[in-house]
Amino acid sequence: MIELGLAEVADAVGGTLTGPDAQVTGKVTVDSRTAGPGDLYVALPGERVDGNDFIGAAVASGAAGALGTRPADGHPVVVVEDPVAALGRLAHAVHERLPGLTTVGITGSSGKTSTKDLLGQVLAAAGPTVSPPGSFNNDIGLPLTVLSADTGTRYLVLEMGARGIGHIARLCGVARPDVGVVLNVGSAHLGEFGSPEAIATAKGELAEAATGTAVLNADDPRVRAMASRTAARVLLTGTAEDADVRAADVALDADARASFTLHAAGEAHPVRLQVVGAHQVANALSAAGAALAAGLAPAQVAAGLSAATVQSRWRMEVTRRPDGVVVVNDAYNANPESMRAALAALQGMTGTRRVAVLGAMGELGPGADDEHHRLGVDAAAAVDLVVAVGRDAAGIAAAREESVHVPDRAAARQLLAEVLRPGDVVLVKASRAQGLELLAADLLEDGGTA
Ligand SMILES: Nc1ncnc2c1ncn2[C@@H]1O[C@H](COP(=O)(O)OP(=O)(O)O)[C@@H](O)[C@H]1O
Ligand SMILES: [Mg+2]
């Protein structure tokens, strides 16, 4: 973070400094165990523990002070009512003091993290960039990301998630983006939103908030329509003829990695992605649009995309076991669209047999049973064997007689140990709550990799 006194922090967040003033010279953290010299520890109310109880420990580790809901034994504490809201206000104040920064916000139902990671790598070649691996896309993660920028930072890439109307607008209130990127409107969190229209309304808040450029996916009608909701310049991306940033000649290699010609600003440059799956073309074009809006040249963007690798765990992580079985760990999360994107990638990969090991998709609302059935039908048509894991995934296997259902991770591991042969490619994917990345790790261990 930029250097601030605790009295200034109190001022920025509308809190009261108790204890002595001190200078924050380090980072901002919500985990007292990571607090070090000069840091600001933000004490959050947890479900099991109260962060306020660890203020003493954070200060003992050298923290300059804390943000909390009550004074703590005379330690320097900025006392506020709502520490999460205060974290947002602090991030806002710091963001306002970084005028040289170009801020990009990214939202969409699927591909936010993948696109952030592509863009972060493209921008990093042009200047100091903050774009942390992982999914820091909520009211805590986004401010923390903003607060990790300082006066040396040139580009700030922010992932923005939403579980309801107004969420993205609130995140944009923390750090107003110069460039707003909307990827797609799918069915992630459909249960909470109620309808795709509501999801479009929520995602479009980013287009509304963007001050400079709205980068919109021309191939998704609900995203394209957001052009009418923004006063910013609109940059359309996609394979559509009228897209400003367009991919032509898209081809997949034997490992389902895409190459294409990037057309932008009257220039054409070859791109050869290292990340896996045809769905990465759309993500790459969105990242390209944002990088161009941030002032990079098309050749620089094409080179950056071609050099970019997977940054965040459990997203199409491809590992070849010593015995020749290929494990594709895409177990970070899942919804109907991302399941199909991953299945399409699996289908495009060279191998003797393709095996899809799938767990349940969460938060789909009343249509969940139908969605699991439809996925089961499509998966069975796309691959050689479908293994559904866990009680909530039974519908995936029930859709086709030849598909197999196993109750849990251990049973899946046992079955796959018997079934898998050298040359097979096995995809592992489910919603976050299913924790199937552990099964992917089991499979690597069984093949002698991990
Ligand atoms: N553009 C896309 N369209 C459909 N599915 C995608 C897209 N990009 C990524 N995915 C799928 O969604 C999963 C989650 O990707 P991620 O980038 O983490 O998205 P998010 O951050 O939006 O949750 C990936 O593992 C992949 O299966
Ligand atoms: Mg994410």
mmCIF file of all heavy atoms in Angstrom, residues 282-319:
data_model
loop_
_atom_site.group_PDB
_atom_site.id
_atom_site.type_symbol
_atom_site.label_atom_id
_atom_site.label_comp_id
_atom_site.label_asym_id
_atom_site.label_seq_id
_atom_site.Cartn_x
_atom_site.Cartn_y
_atom_site.Cartn_z
ATOM 1 N N ALA A 282 -12.226 -16.551 -26.639
ATOM 2 C CA ALA A 282 -13.055 -15.414 -26.211
ATOM 3 C C ALA A 282 -12.376 -14.655 -25.072
ATOM 4 O O ALA A 282 -12.356 -13.414 -25.061
ATOM 5 C CB ALA A 282 -14.430 -15.908 -25.775
ATOM 6 N N ASN A 283 -11.817 -15.414 -24.115
ATOM 7 C CA ASN A 283 -11.120 -14.754 -23.006
ATOM 8 C C ASN A 283 -9.931 -13.938 -23.511
ATOM 9 O O ASN A 283 -9.698 -12.811 -23.067
ATOM 10 C CB ASN A 283 -10.638 -15.793 -21.984
ATOM 11 C CG ASN A 283 -11.792 -16.560 -21.336
ATOM 12 O OD1 ASN A 283 -12.930 -16.098 -21.375
ATOM 13 N ND2 ASN A 283 -11.495 -17.710 -20.761
ATOM 14 N N ALA A 284 -9.190 -14.509 -24.461
ATOM 15 C CA ALA A 284 -8.015 -13.818 -25.007
ATOM 16 C C ALA A 284 -8.423 -12.543 -25.744
ATOM 17 O O ALA A 284 -7.748 -11.513 -25.642
ATOM 18 C CB ALA A 284 -7.248 -14.757 -25.941
ATOM 19 N N LEU A 285 -9.539 -12.604 -26.472
ATOM 20 C CA LEU A 285 -9.993 -11.407 -27.191
ATOM 21 C C LEU A 285 -10.428 -10.319 -26.210
ATOM 22 O O LEU A 285 -10.158 -9.128 -26.424
ATOM 23 C CB LEU A 285 -11.151 -11.758 -28.125
ATOM 24 C CG LEU A 285 -10.772 -12.618 -29.328
ATOM 25 C CD1 LEU A 285 -12.023 -13.041 -30.089
ATOM 26 C CD2 LEU A 285 -9.807 -11.880 -30.260
ATOM 27 N N SER A 286 -11.092 -10.710 -25.134
ATOM 28 C CA SER A 286 -11.496 -9.732 -24.122
ATOM 29 C C SER A 286 -10.259 -9.105 -23.477
ATOM 30 O O SER A 286 -10.205 -7.887 -23.267
ATOM 31 C CB SER A 286 -12.360 -10.401 -23.051
ATOM 32 O OG SER A 286 -13.566 -10.877 -23.621
ATOM 33 N N ALA A 287 -9.267 -9.945 -23.178
ATOM 34 C CA ALA A 287 -8.016 -9.419 -22.614
ATOM 35 C C ALA A 287 -7.337 -8.497 -23.622
ATOM 36 O O ALA A 287 -6.818 -7.431 -23.251
ATOM 37 C CB ALA A 287 -7.082 -10.579 -22.237
ATOM 38 N N ALA A 288 -7.371 -8.877 -24.890
ATOM 39 C CA ALA A 288 -6.760 -8.040 -25.936
ATOM 40 C C ALA A 288 -7.447 -6.687 -25.999
ATOM 41 O O ALA A 288 -6.788 -5.645 -26.058
ATOM 42 C CB ALA A 288 -6.840 -8.753 -27.285
ATOM 43 N N GLY A 289 -8.778 -6.714 -25.957
ATOM 44 C CA GLY A 289 -9.533 -5.450 -26.006
ATOM 45 C C GLY A 289 -9.135 -4.532 -24.863
ATOM 46 O O GLY A 289 -8.917 -3.329 -25.048
ATOM 47 N N ALA A 290 -9.008 -5.114 -23.664
ATOM 48 C CA ALA A 290 -8.647 -4.312 -22.494
ATOM 49 C C ALA A 290 -7.228 -3.763 -22.623
ATOM 50 O O ALA A 290 -6.965 -2.600 -22.301
ATOM 51 C CB ALA A 290 -8.773 -5.156 -21.229
ATOM 52 N N ALA A 291 -6.307 -4.607 -23.104
ATOM 53 C CA ALA A 291 -4.911 -4.166 -23.236
ATOM 54 C C ALA A 291 -4.796 -3.057 -24.279
ATOM 55 O O ALA A 291 -4.054 -2.078 -24.093
ATOM 56 C CB ALA A 291 -4.015 -5.350 -23.609
ATOM 57 N N LEU A 292 -5.538 -3.176 -25.367
ATOM 58 C CA LEU A 292 -5.525 -2.126 -26.389
ATOM 59 C C LEU A 292 -6.112 -0.838 -25.824
ATOM 60 O O LEU A 292 -5.579 0.254 -26.033
ATOM 61 C CB LEU A 292 -6.312 -2.577 -27.623
ATOM 62 C CG LEU A 292 -5.667 -3.739 -28.411
ATOM 63 C CD1 LEU A 292 -6.675 -4.381 -29.360
ATOM 64 C CD2 LEU A 292 -4.436 -3.250 -29.181
ATOM 65 N N ALA A 293 -7.201 -0.974 -25.062
ATOM 66 C CA ALA A 293 -7.819 0.199 -24.439
ATOM 67 C C ALA A 293 -6.849 0.862 -23.460
ATOM 68 O O ALA A 293 -6.878 2.073 -23.260
ATOM 69 C CB ALA A 293 -9.106 -0.195 -23.722
ATOM 70 N N ALA A 294 -5.973 0.051 -22.859
ATOM 71 C CA ALA A 294 -4.990 0.583 -21.909
ATOM 72 C C ALA A 294 -3.785 1.181 -22.626
ATOM 73 O O ALA A 294 -2.859 1.676 -21.975
ATOM 74 C CB ALA A 294 -4.538 -0.512 -20.948
ATOM 75 N N GLY A 295 -3.782 1.103 -23.947
ATOM 76 C CA GLY A 295 -2.737 1.793 -24.710
ATOM 77 C C GLY A 295 -1.665 0.908 -25.308
ATOM 78 O O GLY A 295 -0.718 1.410 -25.910
ATOM 79 N N LEU A 296 -1.787 -0.410 -25.161
ATOM 80 C CA LEU A 296 -0.766 -1.286 -25.752
ATOM 81 C C LEU A 296 -0.982 -1.420 -27.257
ATOM 82 O O LEU A 296 -2.086 -1.214 -27.765
ATOM 83 C CB LEU A 296 -0.800 -2.675 -25.096
ATOM 84 C CG LEU A 296 0.031 -2.806 -23.811
ATOM 85 C CD1 LEU A 296 -0.556 -1.988 -22.685
ATOM 86 C CD2 LEU A 296 0.161 -4.266 -23.386
ATOM 87 N N ALA A 297 0.086 -1.796 -27.959
ATOM 88 C CA ALA A 297 0.018 -1.961 -29.413
ATOM 89 C C ALA A 297 -0.426 -3.392 -29.733
ATOM 90 O O ALA A 297 -0.132 -4.330 -28.983
ATOM 91 C CB ALA A 297 1.382 -1.699 -30.024
ATOM 92 N N PRO A 298 -1.111 -3.589 -30.857
ATOM 93 C CA PRO A 298 -1.613 -4.922 -31.216
ATOM 94 C C PRO A 298 -0.510 -5.994 -31.233
ATOM 95 O O PRO A 298 -0.737 -7.117 -30.752
ATOM 96 C CB PRO A 298 -2.201 -4.718 -32.612
ATOM 97 C CG PRO A 298 -2.606 -3.285 -32.636
ATOM 98 C CD PRO A 298 -1.584 -2.557 -31.803
ATOM 99 N N ALA A 299 0.674 -5.670 -31.730
ATOM 100 C CA ALA A 299 1.746 -6.681 -31.792
ATOM 101 C C ALA A 299 2.169 -7.114 -30.390
ATOM 102 O O ALA A 299 2.417 -8.295 -30.131
ATOM 103 C CB ALA A 299 2.947 -6.118 -32.551
ATOM 104 N N GLN A 300 2.215 -6.141 -29.491
ATOM 105 C CA GLN A 300 2.583 -6.392 -28.099
ATOM 106 C C GLN A 300 1.526 -7.293 -27.437
ATOM 107 O O GLN A 300 1.854 -8.209 -26.680
ATOM 108 C CB GLN A 300 2.594 -5.026 -27.402
ATOM 109 C CG GLN A 300 3.464 -4.873 -26.226
ATOM 110 C CD GLN A 300 3.415 -3.418 -25.719
ATOM 111 O OE1 GLN A 300 2.687 -2.566 -26.244
ATOM 112 N NE2 GLN A 300 4.210 -3.145 -24.693
ATOM 113 N N VAL A 301 0.271 -7.024 -27.761
ATOM 114 C CA VAL A 301 -0.835 -7.801 -27.195
ATOM 115 C C VAL A 301 -0.771 -9.245 -27.699
ATOM 116 O O VAL A 301 -0.885 -10.194 -26.919
ATOM 117 C CB VAL A 301 -2.189 -7.158 -27.559
ATOM 118 C CG1 VAL A 301 -3.346 -8.055 -27.119
ATOM 119 C CG2 VAL A 301 -2.306 -5.781 -26.916
ATOM 120 N N ALA A 302 -0.546 -9.418 -28.995
ATOM 121 C CA ALA A 302 -0.488 -10.764 -29.578
ATOM 122 C C ALA A 302 0.670 -11.556 -28.972
ATOM 123 O O ALA A 302 0.523 -12.734 -28.625
ATOM 124 C CB ALA A 302 -0.352 -10.681 -31.091
ATOM 125 N N ALA A 303 1.797 -10.902 -28.813
ATOM 126 C CA ALA A 303 2.959 -11.581 -28.228
ATOM 127 C C ALA A 303 2.701 -11.954 -26.774
ATOM 128 O O ALA A 303 3.038 -13.055 -26.328
ATOM 129 C CB ALA A 303 4.194 -10.687 -28.338
ATOM 130 N N GLY A 304 2.078 -11.049 -26.045
ATOM 131 C CA GLY A 304 1.785 -11.301 -24.625
ATOM 132 C C GLY A 304 0.810 -12.448 -24.440
ATOM 133 O O GLY A 304 0.977 -13.287 -23.555
ATOM 134 N N LEU A 305 -0.207 -12.502 -25.279
ATOM 135 C CA LEU A 305 -1.184 -13.594 -25.182
ATOM 136 C C LEU A 305 -0.520 -14.939 -25.479
ATOM 137 O O LEU A 305 -0.805 -15.939 -24.832
ATOM 138 C CB LEU A 305 -2.345 -13.365 -26.156
ATOM 139 C CG LEU A 305 -3.295 -12.213 -25.812
ATOM 140 C CD1 LEU A 305 -4.284 -11.984 -26.960
ATOM 141 C CD2 LEU A 305 -4.055 -12.501 -24.519
ATOM 142 N N SER A 306 0.374 -14.935 -26.458
ATOM 143 C CA SER A 306 1.035 -16.185 -26.851
ATOM 144 C C SER A 306 1.996 -16.679 -25.777
ATOM 145 O O SER A 306 2.273 -17.879 -25.684
ATOM 146 C CB SER A 306 1.796 -15.986 -28.163
ATOM 147 O OG SER A 306 0.911 -15.593 -29.186
ATOM 148 N N ALA A 307 2.497 -15.764 -24.967
ATOM 149 C CA ALA A 307 3.463 -16.139 -23.930
ATOM 150 C C ALA A 307 2.775 -16.515 -22.618
ATOM 151 O O ALA A 307 3.395 -17.081 -21.720
ATOM 152 C CB ALA A 307 4.440 -14.991 -23.685
ATOM 153 N N ALA A 308 1.483 -16.219 -22.495
ATOM 154 C CA ALA A 308 0.789 -16.366 -21.211
ATOM 155 C C ALA A 308 0.524 -17.830 -20.859
ATOM 156 O O ALA A 308 0.197 -18.640 -21.722
ATOM 157 C CB ALA A 308 -0.537 -15.598 -21.244
ATOM 158 N N THR A 309 0.679 -18.143 -19.571
ATOM 159 C CA THR A 309 0.451 -19.505 -19.082
ATOM 160 C C THR A 309 -0.601 -19.479 -17.961
ATOM 161 O O THR A 309 -0.997 -18.405 -17.508
ATOM 162 C CB THR A 309 1.762 -20.101 -18.525
ATOM 163 O OG1 THR A 309 2.277 -19.189 -17.535
ATOM 164 C CG2 THR A 309 2.799 -20.278 -19.626
ATOM 165 N N VAL A 310 -1.020 -20.664 -17.510
ATOM 166 C CA VAL A 310 -1.983 -20.749 -16.407
ATOM 167 C C VAL A 310 -1.363 -20.159 -15.144
ATOM 168 O O VAL A 310 -0.244 -20.520 -14.776
ATOM 169 C CB VAL A 310 -2.385 -22.222 -16.152
ATOM 170 C CG1 VAL A 310 -3.258 -22.331 -14.906
ATOM 171 C CG2 VAL A 310 -3.119 -22.793 -17.358
ATOM 172 N N GLN A 311 -2.074 -19.252 -14.477
ATOM 173 C CA GLN A 311 -1.562 -18.612 -13.268
ATOM 174 C C GLN A 311 -2.303 -19.066 -12.016
ATOM 175 O O GLN A 311 -1.743 -19.079 -10.931
ATOM 176 C CB GLN A 311 -1.707 -17.085 -13.373
ATOM 177 C CG GLN A 311 -0.951 -16.477 -14.533
ATOM 178 C CD GLN A 311 0.541 -16.594 -14.358
ATOM 179 O OE1 GLN A 311 1.097 -16.135 -13.366
ATOM 180 N NE2 GLN A 311 1.203 -17.223 -15.311
ATOM 181 N N SER A 312 -3.586 -19.383 -12.146
ATOM 182 C CA SER A 312 -4.396 -19.731 -10.981
ATOM 183 C C SER A 312 -4.664 -21.230 -10.994
ATOM 184 O O SER A 312 -4.904 -21.808 -12.050
ATOM 185 C CB SER A 312 -5.713 -18.949 -11.001
ATOM 186 O OG SER A 312 -5.447 -17.556 -11.034
ATOM 187 N N ARG A 313 -4.627 -21.862 -9.826
ATOM 188 C CA ARG A 313 -4.721 -23.312 -9.746
ATOM 189 C C ARG A 313 -6.067 -23.861 -10.170
ATOM 190 O O ARG A 313 -7.079 -23.198 -10.057
ATOM 191 C CB ARG A 313 -4.459 -23.781 -8.292
ATOM 192 C CG ARG A 313 -3.120 -23.431 -7.716
ATOM 193 C CD ARG A 313 -1.941 -24.271 -8.184
ATOM 194 N NE ARG A 313 -2.162 -25.632 -8.600
ATOM 195 C CZ ARG A 313 -1.892 -26.706 -7.864
ATOM 196 N NH1 ARG A 313 -1.455 -26.568 -6.642
ATOM 197 N NH2 ARG A 313 -2.070 -27.911 -8.351
ATOM 198 N N TRP A 314 -6.042 -25.129 -10.635
ATOM 199 C CA TRP A 314 -7.232 -25.939 -10.897
ATOM 200 C C TRP A 314 -8.090 -25.411 -12.035
ATOM 201 O O TRP A 314 -9.296 -25.603 -12.060
ATOM 202 C CB TRP A 314 -8.087 -26.098 -9.632
ATOM 203 C CG TRP A 314 -7.270 -26.480 -8.436
ATOM 204 C CD1 TRP A 314 -6.133 -27.229 -8.426
ATOM 205 C CD2 TRP A 314 -7.494 -26.110 -7.073
ATOM 206 N NE1 TRP A 314 -5.644 -27.360 -7.145
ATOM 207 C CE2 TRP A 314 -6.468 -26.682 -6.293
ATOM 208 C CE3 TRP A 314 -8.485 -25.355 -6.436
ATOM 209 C CZ2 TRP A 314 -6.393 -26.521 -4.915
ATOM 210 C CZ3 TRP A 314 -8.412 -25.192 -5.068
ATOM 211 C CH2 TRP A 314 -7.384 -25.770 -4.308
ATOM 212 N N ARG A 315 -7.445 -24.688 -12.984
ATOM 213 C CA ARG A 315 -8.161 -24.280 -14.188
ATOM 214 C C ARG A 315 -7.433 -24.882 -15.370
ATOM 215 O O ARG A 315 -6.378 -24.419 -15.762
ATOM 216 C CB ARG A 315 -8.231 -22.759 -14.290
ATOM 217 C CG ARG A 315 -9.226 -22.178 -13.274
ATOM 218 C CD ARG A 315 -8.857 -20.781 -12.955
ATOM 219 N NE ARG A 315 -9.764 -20.143 -12.013
ATOM 220 C CZ ARG A 315 -9.539 -20.043 -10.711
ATOM 221 N NH1 ARG A 315 -8.465 -20.575 -10.178
ATOM 222 N NH2 ARG A 315 -10.379 -19.405 -9.930
ATOM 223 N N MET A 316 -7.993 -25.942 -15.905
ATOM 224 C CA MET A 316 -7.405 -26.636 -17.043
ATOM 225 C C MET A 316 -5.907 -26.865 -16.847
ATOM 226 O O MET A 316 -5.099 -26.568 -17.706
ATOM 227 C CB MET A 316 -7.680 -25.865 -18.349
ATOM 228 C CG MET A 316 -9.146 -25.690 -18.691
ATOM 229 S SD MET A 316 -10.109 -27.219 -18.848
ATOM 230 C CE MET A 316 -9.603 -27.787 -20.463
ATOM 231 N N GLU A 317 -5.566 -27.387 -15.679
ATOM 232 C CA GLU A 317 -4.171 -27.757 -15.399
ATOM 233 C C GLU A 317 -3.931 -29.130 -16.011
ATOM 234 O O GLU A 317 -4.485 -30.123 -15.550
ATOM 235 C CB GLU A 317 -3.945 -27.869 -13.895
ATOM 236 C CG GLU A 317 -3.531 -26.610 -13.205
ATOM 237 C CD GLU A 317 -3.211 -26.878 -11.735
ATOM 238 O OE1 GLU A 317 -2.479 -27.828 -11.417
ATOM 239 O OE2 GLU A 317 -3.723 -26.125 -10.903
ATOM 240 N N VAL A 318 -3.115 -29.184 -17.028
ATOM 241 C CA VAL A 318 -2.878 -30.439 -17.740
ATOM 242 C C VAL A 318 -1.559 -31.058 -17.264
ATOM 243 O O VAL A 318 -0.508 -30.416 -17.340
ATOM 244 C CB VAL A 318 -2.817 -30.193 -19.263
ATOM 245 C CG1 VAL A 318 -2.589 -31.509 -20.008
ATOM 246 C CG2 VAL A 318 -4.111 -29.532 -19.742
ATOM 247 N N THR A 319 -1.619 -32.305 -16.747
ATOM 248 C CA THR A 319 -0.414 -32.987 -16.284
ATOM 249 C C THR A 319 -0.366 -34.397 -16.886
ATOM 250 O O THR A 319 -1.358 -35.128 -16.820
ATOM 251 C CB THR A 319 -0.411 -33.127 -14.743
ATOM 252 O OG1 THR A 319 -0.724 -31.865 -14.166
ATOM 253 C CG2 THR A 319 0.958 -33.586 -14.242
#
